[in-house]
Amino acid sequence: MTGLSTHVLDAVRGVPAEGVAVWLVRGELRLTEALTDADGRVKELAAGLNPGEYQLYFDTGSYFAAQGVETFYPEVCIAFTVGEQAHLHVPLLLSPFAYSTYRGS
């Protein structure tokens, strides 16, 4: 079974993105949700994930709206596959008009 964490960095401002709503979905079921902390992290979004396909959603629209910044991406969805790893870390590098992600450690 696998644990999951995430981190959101506001790449334009060069700071962690605090207060971003994040939720984890498998199929049609929302499994869990959280807000990023002052360091832009959700240290344990989920534990005990079974192998399979999941989606991690980020409410980027509300984050940028709170700053008075227009964004092209009101929501980011990252689809990924859980295997037999002990832990997965899915970071998001964010700007109003672009984003990037990778499999972290």
Side-chain angles (χ1 to χ4, degrees):
M1 298 234 191
T2 301
L4 177 67
S5 60
T6 190
H7 180 218
V8 183
L9 177 66
D10 185 325
V12 171
R13 295 174 48 219
V15 298
E18 181 179 4
V20 177
V22 181
W23 59 97
L24 179 66
V25 173
R26 185 168 191 194
E28 298 296 318
L29 182 62
R30 185 181 288 205
L31 301 176
T32 187
E33 56 189 87
L35 289 175
T36 56
D37 64 16
D39 195 32
R41 297 181 183 274
V42 177
K43 294 178 182 170
E44 190 66 35
L45 184 60
L49 296 176
N50 292 314
E53 295 180 6
Y54 293 81
Q55 298 81 40
L56 191 55
Y57 288 87
F58 299 83
D59 181 6
T60 54
S62 294
Y63 170 74
F64 284 119
Q67 299 174 46
V69 174
E70 183 180 333
T71 182
F72 183 70
Y73 297 105
E75 181 178 272
V76 171
C77 174
I78 301 170
F80 61 97
T81 302
V82 171
E84 297 299 327
Q85 310 91 329
H87 187 83
L88 285 175
H89 183 68
V90 181
L92 178 65
L93 304 174
L94 184 61
S95 81
F97 302 103
Y99 65 89
S100 177
T101 186
Y102 57 93
R103 180 180 166 188
S105 58

